[in-house]
Amino acid sequence: MTSIGANIPRKEAPNKVTGRARYTRDLYRPGTLYALIVPAHIAHARLLAVDTREARALAGVKAVLTGADAPFLTGDVIEDHPPLARDKVRYWGEPVALVVARDMATAQQAAALVHCTYDPLPVVNSIEDALRADAPLVHEAVGSYTIATPPASPRPHSNIADEANVTKGDSDGALKASDVIVQVHVSLPQIDHAAMEPRVATAEILADGRVLIETSSQAPFEVQKLVAQYFQLDPGQVTVSVPLVGGAFGGKASVQLEVLAYLASHAVGGRVVTLANPREVDMESSPVGLGLEADVTLGATQEGRLTAAILRFYLDVGAYADSAPRIARAIAAQCTGPYRIDHVHADVYAVYTNHTYTTAFRGFGHMPMTFAIERAMDELAQRLSIDPLDLRQRNALRPGDRTPTKARLTPSNLGSLSETIERLKPLIGWNGGEPYPVAPHRIRAQGVAAFWKTSSSPPNATSGAIVTMNADGSVNLSIGAVEFGSGAKTTAAQILAEALRIPVSRVFIHEAVNTDTDPEHWKTVASLSTYMVGRAVLDAAQDVVRQLKSLAAVVLRCAPEDLDYGNETVFVRDDPSIKLTYADLALGYQYPEGDSIGGQIIGRGRFMIRHLNLLDQETGHGRPGPAWTVGVQAVEIEYDDLTHQYRLLKAATVLDAGHVINPAIAHGQVRGGMAMGLGIASREAVRYGPQGEFLTNQFRSYKVLRLGEQPDAYLVEFVTNPQVDAPFGARPLGEHGVLAIGAALANALSRATNMSINQLPITPELIWQQRRNAP
Amino acid sequence: MKTLTGPTHIQLTINGEPRDVFIEPHYTLLDLLRHPLVGLTGAKPGCENGDCGACTVLLNQKPVKSCMMFAVDAEGKTVLTVEGLVDTPVQRAFLKHFAFQCGYCTSGFLLVAHALLHEIPHPDRHQITEWLRSNICRCTSYEEILAAVHEASES
Amino acid sequence: MIPWPVHYYRPDQWADALDLYQQLTRAGRSPRYYLGGTEIITMARTDSQPVSDLIDLKGIPEIMAHGQDGDWLYWGAGLSLARVAELDAWPVLTATADRVADHTSREQITLGGNCLSIMPYKEALVPFMLPDRVMIEVATSQGLMTVPLHDRFDGSWHLAPGEFLLSLRVLKEEARSLVFRSYKMTRLDWVDYPLVTVVVVRDPDGQIRAGFSGWGPHPLVSSQVNALLSDRSATPAARAAAAIAAMPTPALDDLHASRAYRTFVTQHTLALIIRELEE
């Protein structure tokens, strides 16, 4: 009866196939008013006036808010972000006003009646624009903002929101001594999370001062904390609840609509206000994923041993910093990819532009970073005429090595990239990477790329679990992790079932999170739920077992140490016929005479990641996460050298999963990540016009992969070197399918076309253009 | 001549039940279904622009994007939403194959697949693709959805 | 949702629709005809184009009709593109209509709505631009008129305010005599606007006629281009290149493709089609 390793259906699955699954926008409260963001349709301007008179005059309009109604700055790390534009507009789509009306249609009409007067400013429309000596400044006050969560190093009088550096060894010297040097410049656009559920938040302020927020968030506890902070409330006054979330991918970890919804509710006397992003607003006004320009220089010996790396990453973080400083540090900490390089220097710059601001995106910066490194690795393999998979094998990080930030690697915290590489070969049918023709003008090629990632979580991230036992001995599990499709709730239930030795059907877990009743879980991000929540659940399970045993010991007149448990009973180890059922003990034990002892079994568990620290600002040294997940991915394509179109034939991933708790969910997560990564690499891009106009705010212009465009085969395998401190040895894997698959595609196409394809997305037009420009 | 110049009521059949519902002339079918007085929130607003398919319902057994049609156009017709699907082969297959993650797109996919199997009981892969590419799923790789529809078509 | 109050009318006869349109216009209102509604809803979401009254034409029997009328095949403007494809009365129309938008949307998008779309593409109209004899039925204040398509469409539609399209007709014999190819080329995705949709027919005399959607702001057919494409003394590639050089307008340059790439794709597709048609 083991729940671990079994394909347990998602707890909420029946609701999801019957329309009974409820998301934030499905929850109607009587009396609800509707708010709508009025987005700026200019990318950079002084905001001279916002005329709301006409909008206010419209029947049914309850309030129209502008920047003047929100005189404070928000920001996860750097407080640089007015909730509604004040004095200045910094991106196309920036909220300049918020209308509140009795219904959605009235709100939409009112939004069209808000008139802004702008004084246009020159637009910072690219990283290159931003870094020019005479560049217009996106933030004039860049050096003087409050740093809410250090570290962050904004550079005064510049567009550099932050920079992070890592130095290990003597990279310049080692590079000079290298036999061979490759240099690659990569260029990746911003991308959109495009979760199917657009962001939405509802707020209500009760007469007693309590604030009820319902939101499609990955970070309910962060919402609680920040709303309390911005509006000078006690955190306990603020209840944040999150029902099922319709996809997140990092985009719902940032706090935006909740603040606006609070402001809207406050403006209408605390009434319930729902702020639901239309898709267009969700894409252009709410945060997207960062763009990247990077220069990678790798040095190696003739035998293909990496000797030095000098790396420069410029992140297009858009108009506000949000999580960028954290992402910059995550990129710095993992900057080499999963390879041993003794001499490294990396500079990561978070660059302000007049683009939509950015936040976490599945992989937390590791996807674009990996693209840069893995393109360079393939160039190196080609230069040295080494099988690209062998090159990766030769340089794979191994236990005993140290990361760029000098964290020590162990079998537990690293797993084995080497094993994943060996497993990939038969899985994809690795042919050494040489392209080969299959018909006139048709060329097949394979490309590979490897990844690693750790959590880059704050060193004080915490998680909790509460288990209460029902009269029949079944249990209720309460955790703070949000269910947005990753199976966090189901996995936690499996872990508890295993620990209490009961079937998973005896664990009840509500699909929502409520900050009043659920214990804190930092944020449902970084693929950490299994690890953090899982450890808290195990802790709670131990507490339950201890309580069961101590109560049973009294009744059975033995020492708790004499007892064991299983099959929903607590029994004497050497005579299992002496036993009590969980049900006998669940709400306290009642003797036949009627008198009772004990009380409800309530297990309490908690977990905090140990031994993490903030990276040293000078050297960048430190330990950014509890463990890394490593893996390797491959793509096989067929390229037509007349039309420059290509077909995806196979996509493969082997990663070190440590131990797989739910194979069906794990495979689904990895395949889903691969699909997203292939979509990003082949077609996705946020695009801006010459004046910073946001051009891709619908699925007609922001294209994502549809059915029929996927590879003929997705191949996924796991190797299992346990992470000793993780529940059942399981490593994080929720984000990882996305990390290197785009690089693998670019590597395959670079080989098939015999060109270096170093930008995304790789459309046939891009290949055609590059071919045309080739000498 | 049918004329609506303000809120009015229309008759239609929703999930087998004849209904007399209030609409305003500018309502889409999605607005109507999700209205608190009807309360069928299984059809999801994903783009409200006809692009993502999360709001798909069946109108006289044909899939339509309910965000892209006026409610009044459903007058006298039968509407099937995900709430009207009860233990169908497609639902069972989606469960078996873990053919969803977040679930937000699921009702749309289910209804397209259900209509497909009604019209073409044993569709080939090309037909499945042609029908289902009307919808977007951002979580899965589509493999699971394909496998589910394939299996449902064999039952 | 159209985010403002509108009035809705569903006339049962074409004459009533015309009268209504005139009345509403005289009253200073902004009526719009509609069939499927997809475009009007989409536009209302992002534009504040004033539409005050929706006149639903689906109640008019002629607009929903289809079939054969003597030597003519006809399709009512109110048929959905899915229905048009299902009827499959004219394979080149089937092939072209079946590539518009996506399967579900084609249940809602109508033939008339697509042909009169404000978007540049109007793919379903392209097959009708190719035969010698194509007639359209138009409701006008002078009554129902059946006129040649090119009288009312020369890249832009010429319908007086209030007039509307009831049906499109082709000669059955001519329609059936045309060998065709219809290829929609997109940036990458199957479901997307066309970079170009190329519809080519070859008549029994071997003359080639090509229609293009997505090349320019309107679908186009050019007799000069057709003459070049029909010149059998040259190779398909050379004919495609000559045709491209003779296109009456340069290709669009937009989010979906640069001008140069759109030109490349069109030329390649034309050459491919000529080879296929003449093999």
Side-chain angles (χ1 to χ4, degrees):
Chain A
M1 182 201 58
T2 178
S3 306
I4 301 300
N7 290 329
I8 306 292
R10 288 166 200 285
K11 281 282 186 180
E12 73 287 359
N15 295 337
K16 286 181 172 172
V17 297
T18 53
R20 306 300 297 274
R22 302 275 196 220
Y23 303 79
T24 301
R25 216 173 150 178
D26 300 334
L27 303 161
Y28 174 76
R29 294 210 203 121
T32 297
L33 301 175
Y34 294 85
L36 204 56
I37 286 173
V38 182
H41 282 163
I42 190 163
H44 197 195
R46 303 240 159 261
L47 181 55
L48 302 179
V50 184
D51 182 351
T52 62
R53 283 170 300 182
E54 218 184 320
R56 282 174 204 274
L58 188 70
V61 172
K62 303 294 181 186
V64 183
L65 293 85
T66 67
D69 298 300
F72 56 91
L73 294 173
T74 68
D76 173 22
V77 179
I78 303 173
E79 292 188 347
D80 61 356
H81 192 172
L84 295 166
R86 222 166 46 230
D87 307 327
K88 212 178 150 173
V89 165
R90 296 188 176 86
Y91 68 97
W92 182 284
E94 177 159 12
V96 286
L98 188 65
V99 296
V100 190
R102 67 181 166 213
D103 56 42
M104 191 67 112
T106 307
Q108 270 177 269
Q109 285 177 67
L113 298 175
V114 173
H115 305 293
C116 296
T117 312
Y118 299 116
D119 177 13
L121 293 167
V123 177
V124 179
N125 206 8
S126 65
I127 287 168
E128 198 188 339
D129 282 357
L131 298 178
R132 273 199 198 103
D134 60 345
L137 295 183
V138 178
H139 291 265
E140 288 78 2
V142 64
S144 53
Y145 287 131
T146 302
I147 309 294
T149 321
S153 314
R155 190 185 288 176
H157 314 297
S158 81
N159 286 315
I160 309 277
D162 185 30
E163 63 178 283
N165 323 95
V166 167
T167 301
K168 184 171 105 171
D170 169 19
S171 51
D172 286 334
L175 194 68
K176 283 201 193 90
S178 299
D179 295 338
V180 53
I181 294 172
V182 294
Q183 286 185 302
V184 167
H185 179 86
V186 306
S187 185
L188 312 179
Q190 289 185 336
I191 48 179
D192 198 282
H193 307 84
M196 295 316 299
E197 177 201 27
R199 297 168 181 89
V200 49
T202 288
E204 179 177 16
I205 305 167
L206 298 180
D208 65 5
R210 286 179 62 217
V211 177
L212 309 180
I213 293 178
E214 201 140 44
T215 172
S216 62
S217 172
Q218 292 173 259
F221 297 91
E222 184 80 356
V223 172
Q224 181 189 40
K225 186 182 99 185
L226 292 180
V227 166
Q229 178 191 322
Y230 298 146
F231 301 106
Q232 288 96 47
L233 304 165
D234 295 333
Q237 274 177 279
V238 182
T239 300
V240 179
S241 60
V242 175
L244 291 173
V245 172
F249 315 114
K252 292 172 177 168
S254 178
V255 178
Q256 181 197 26
L257 297 195
E258 298 85 356
V259 171
L260 295 176
Y262 177 91
L263 284 166
S265 175
H266 191 262
V268 293
R271 288 180 64 181
V272 193
V273 178
T274 287
L275 173 58
N277 272 353
R279 177 59 63 182
E280 292 80 359
V281 173
D282 205 53
M283 285 187 158
E284 63 187 37
S285 302
S286 287
V288 298
L290 57 84
L292 173 72
E293 301 279 337
D295 291 297
V296 176
T297 306
L298 295 181
T301 66
Q302 206 54 251
E303 296 72 41
R305 179 74 221 173
L306 291 167
T307 49
I310 297 179
L311 310 155
R312 254 181 215 100
F313 297 94
Y314 300 92
L315 318 181
D316 178 356
V317 305
Y320 297 105
D322 199 87
S323 303
R326 297 183 199 275
I327 299 173
R329 277 159 189 75
I331 290 176
Q334 271 71 240
C335 64
T336 52
Y339 307 115
R340 178 176 164 171
I341 309 178
D342 292 339
H343 303 281
V344 180
H345 182 79
D347 296 304
V348 188
Y349 302 96
V351 181
Y352 285 129
T353 62
N354 291 123
H355 289 167
T356 294
Y357 76 107
T358 58
T359 190
F361 192 109
R362 194 178 198 162
F364 209 58
H366 289 65
M367 173 171 48
M369 179 274 283
T370 300
F371 185 86
I373 298 302
E374 292 299 317
R375 278 298 302 130
M377 286 296 281
D378 245 45
E379 292 290 307
L380 180 62
Q382 208 140 16
R383 182 77 64 81
L384 292 170
S385 302
I386 295 180
D387 176 325
L389 214 40
D390 288 347
L391 179 69
R392 288 166 171 91
Q393 184 64 285
R394 276 176 219 186
N395 291 285
L397 278 168
R398 289 177 167 78
D401 292 340
R402 286 184 179 263
T403 75
T405 65
K406 295 204 173 167
R408 205 161 47 80
L409 296 168
T410 68
S412 170
N413 73 17
L414 183 65
S416 175
L417 176 61
S418 184
E419 259 181 70
T420 66
I421 290 174
E422 290 314 310
R423 279 284 282 281
L424 179 75
K425 290 178 180 173
L427 184 64
I428 187 88
W430 177 245
N431 68 2
E434 283 309 306
Y436 58 100
V438 289
H441 302 294
R442 302 230 170 217
I443 298 146
R444 282 196 188 177
Q446 297 177 331
V448 293
F451 63 79
W452 71 329
K453 183 185 180 297
T454 189
S455 63
S456 305
S457 45
N460 62 350
T462 181
S463 194
I466 297 168
V467 178
T468 57
M469 195 165 266
N470 297 310
D472 68 344
S474 64
V475 291
N476 311 304
L477 173 58
S478 171
I479 57 171
V482 170
E483 183 52 70
F484 50 67
S486 69
K489 299 282 194 187
T490 307
T491 305
Q494 284 179 259
I495 290 170
L496 181 60
E498 186 71 11
L500 296 179
R501 301 179 189 164
I502 56 178
V504 74
S505 61
R506 300 282 283 161
V507 178
F508 295 90
I509 185 160
H510 48 263
E511 51 201 33
V513 172
N514 183 308
T515 56
D516 276 358
T517 49
D518 295 314
E520 172 145 347
H521 174 57
W522 163 56
K523 292 177 186 176
T524 311
V525 299
S527 312
L528 271 182
S529 304
T530 301
Y531 177 63
M532 290 186 64
V533 175
R535 282 288 301 265
V537 168
L538 287 176
D539 191 36
Q542 266 185 23
D543 193 19
V544 167
V545 169
R546 193 181 47 73
Q547 291 178 37
L548 286 169
K549 281 186 181 174
S550 68
L551 183 56
V554 173
V555 178
L556 299 176
R557 295 175 209 169
C558 61
E561 302 80 59
D562 293 337
L563 296 170
D564 200 352
Y565 66 106
N567 207 13
E568 290 191 39
T569 60
V570 180
F571 55 86
V572 175
R573 211 184 299 272
D574 49 280
D575 183 357
S577 69
I578 304 173
K579 65 182 181 188
L580 290 166
T581 66
Y582 286 5
D584 293 335
L585 303 164
L587 301 180
Y589 180 79
Q590 185 169 32
Y591 286 97
E593 297 78 12
D595 54 335
S596 307
I597 57 165
Q600 185 176 19
I601 304 290
I602 302 175
R604 183 202 72 155
R606 59 188 191 175
F607 179 69
M608 204 159 202
I609 305 178
R610 59 178 154 74
H611 297 165
L612 299 196
N613 39 44
L614 298 170
L615 305 187
D616 184 275
Q617 187 60 24
E618 289 301 310
T619 61
H621 296 168
R623 187 156 180 252
W628 286 261
T629 302
V630 295
V632 62
Q633 300 187 292
V635 173
E636 183 173 310
I637 52 99
E638 187 175 301
Y639 165 69
D640 180 326
D641 71 1
L642 281 181
T643 62
H644 308 295
Q645 291 169 351
Y646 60 90
R647 259 185 348 111
L648 302 172
L649 302 178
K650 292 182 197 166
T653 299
V654 182
L655 67 77
D656 194 337
H659 187 84
V660 182
I661 289 182
N662 188 323
I665 290 180
H667 279 265
Q669 285 274 290
V670 174
R671 273 198 304 263
M674 293 162 73
M676 181 181 272
L678 290 169
I680 288 166
S682 58
R683 67 246 297 143
E684 293 185 27
V686 172
R687 295 171 68 183
Y688 295 93
Q691 292 305 313
E693 303 93 329
F694 193 103
L695 301 178
T696 48
N697 65 2
Q698 297 181 334
F699 288 120
R700 298 182 185 194
S701 41
Y702 190 88
K703 305 300 288 187
V704 299
L705 206 71
R706 285 179 190 255
L707 203 146
E709 286 148 355
Q710 76 277 24
D712 298 343
Y714 281 104
L715 309 163
V716 176
E717 284 189 7
F718 299 126
V719 301
T720 50
N721 296 293
Q723 178 186 337
V724 175
D725 59 328
F728 307 99
R731 295 175 190 278
L733 51 74
E735 299 162 282
H736 302 72
V738 85
L739 296 178
I741 200 82
L745 175 65
N747 288 341
L749 281 165
S750 294
R751 284 171 182 270
T753 58
N754 198 25
M755 301 188 300
S756 296
I757 299 178
N758 294 333
Q759 55 174 307
L760 297 180
I762 311 175
T763 59
E765 177 167 5
L766 177 82
I767 302 174
W768 170 82
Q769 186 72 51
Q770 204 170 318
R771 168 76 64 217
R772 216 162 67 125
N773 294 345
Chain B
M1 178 160 59
K2 177 89 183 180
T3 302
L4 275 65
T5 54
T8 186
H9 60 100
I10 60 167
Q11 279 89 39
L12 73 168
T13 301
I14 304 176
N15 297 334
E17 185 188 354
R19 298 283 300 257
D20 193 324
V21 292
F22 259 95
I23 62 162
E24 296 203 41
H26 66 266
Y27 275 17
T28 61
L29 180 57
L30 179 64
D31 295 332
L32 167 63
L33 293 171
R34 293 180 59 88
H35 193 284
L37 293 175
V38 179
L40 296 171
T41 55
K44 302 296 183 207
C47 67
E48 295 176 87
N49 201 51
D51 302 327
C52 78
C55 68
T56 303
V57 301
L58 304 190
L59 186 73
N60 288 356
Q61 301 183 337
K62 300 276 193 189
V64 293
K65 292 173 178 171
S66 63
C67 71
M68 276 292 102
M69 67 175 279
F70 291 109
V72 63
D73 280 334
E75 184 174 22
K77 297 187 173 158
T78 64
V79 175
L80 182 70
T81 73
V82 68
E83 289 91 344
L85 292 181
V86 180
D87 198 24
T88 61
V90 172
Q91 286 166 297
R92 289 197 295 269
F94 267 59
L95 285 170
K96 181 174 163 192
H97 289 274
F98 289 67
F100 48 85
Q101 291 181 25
C102 82
Y104 202 79
C105 71
T106 308
S107 17
F109 271 99
L110 286 168
L111 286 159
V112 173
H114 185 74
L116 166 65
L117 298 185
H118 183 265
E119 195 161 312
I120 310 171
H122 303 290
D124 59 27
R125 194 174 162 113
H126 174 78
Q127 289 165 317
I128 296 175
T129 300
E130 185 56 11
W131 283 60
L132 267 62
R133 61 162 55 116
S134 305
N135 297 47
I136 296 173
C137 170
R138 187 61 161 165
C139 296
T140 75
S141 68
Y142 296 112
E143 280 299 301
E144 304 83 349
I145 295 174
L146 267 177
V149 177
H150 189 70
E151 171 162 319
S153 75
E154 287 183 335
S155 65
Chain C
M1 160 168 53
I2 292 188
W4 55 79
V6 291
H7 295 175
Y8 168 90
Y9 307 90
R10 189 167 63 224
D12 308 313
Q13 297 178 30
W14 61 266
D16 295 348
L18 280 173
D19 287 349
L20 181 62
Y21 191 97
Q22 303 302 349
Q23 273 174 40
L24 290 167
T25 308
R26 275 198 300 275
R29 298 181 62 93
S30 310
R32 283 250 336 237
Y33 294 125
Y34 89 93
L35 287 162
T38 57
E39 186 160 283
I40 217 167
I41 293 173
T42 318
M43 292 305 150
R45 299 186 62 251
T46 48
D47 274 10
S48 21
Q49 225 186 25
V51 178
S52 60
D53 300 81
L54 297 170
I55 305 178
D56 179 359
L57 299 176
K58 290 190 296 295
I60 298 167
E62 293 91 331
I63 219 162
M64 303 305 289
H66 63 85
Q68 207 170 323
D69 177 6
D71 295 335
W72 296 86
L73 295 171
Y74 69 94
W75 296 265
L79 298 173
S80 72
L81 293 180
R83 184 80 182 118
V84 169
E86 186 180 291
L87 293 168
D88 198 17
W90 187 23
V92 62
L93 178 60
T94 302
T96 309
D98 226 21
R99 280 295 279 116
V100 175
D102 59 64
H103 182 272
T104 300
S105 297
R106 290 194 296 273
E107 292 288 349
Q108 291 157 277
I109 299 171
T110 59
L111 179 61
N114 183 259
C115 289
L116 283 130
S117 161
I118 65 160
M119 301 297 291
Y121 309 111
K122 308 175 180 64
E123 297 101 304
L125 187 60
V126 178
F128 291 100
M129 295 165 70
L130 299 173
D132 286 331
R133 299 195 60 197
V134 175
M135 306 295 278
I136 58 170
E137 194 178 17
V138 183
T140 77
S141 50
Q142 283 85 51
L144 285 190
M145 293 174 62
T146 302
V147 297
L149 171 65
H150 54 73
D151 278 10
R152 295 304 190 102
F153 181 79
D154 57 7
S156 329
W157 281 96
H158 301 287
L159 295 173
E163 292 185 346
F164 59 88
L165 178 72
L166 276 166
S167 67
L168 295 121
R169 328 182 138 232
V170 295
L171 270 180
K172 184 177 173 187
E173 199 175 333
E174 185 183 7
R176 294 274 161 89
S177 72
L178 301 171
V179 186
F180 76 95
R181 287 289 184 279
S182 177
Y183 288 161
K184 174 177 173 177
M185 310 303 289
T186 60
R187 170 178 175 261
L188 187 59
D189 298 86
W190 187 262
V191 176
D192 200 355
Y193 291 121
L195 296 194
V196 69
T197 290
V198 185
V199 185
V200 181
V201 298
R202 198 191 67 205
D203 69 18
D205 300 333
Q207 295 298 299
I208 284 177
R209 301 172 215 183
F212 303 87
S213 151
W215 173 275
H218 315 288
L220 72 92
V221 172
S222 152
S223 52
Q224 198 194 344
V225 165
N226 289 344
L228 291 164
L229 290 174
S230 303
D231 174 12
R232 291 193 141 221
S233 67
T235 63
R239 284 143 73 186
I244 290 297
M247 289 293 263
T249 58
L252 286 179
D253 193 308
D254 62 16
L255 195 65
H256 307 288
S258 65
R259 171 166 301 150
Y261 182 65
R262 187 176 256 114
T263 306
F264 163 78
V265 169
T266 309
Q267 183 172 332
H268 178 85
T269 308
L270 266 180
L272 176 79
I273 290 178
I274 296 170
R275 273 195 295 273
E276 287 185 1
L277 283 178
E278 294 184 351
E279 250 166 28

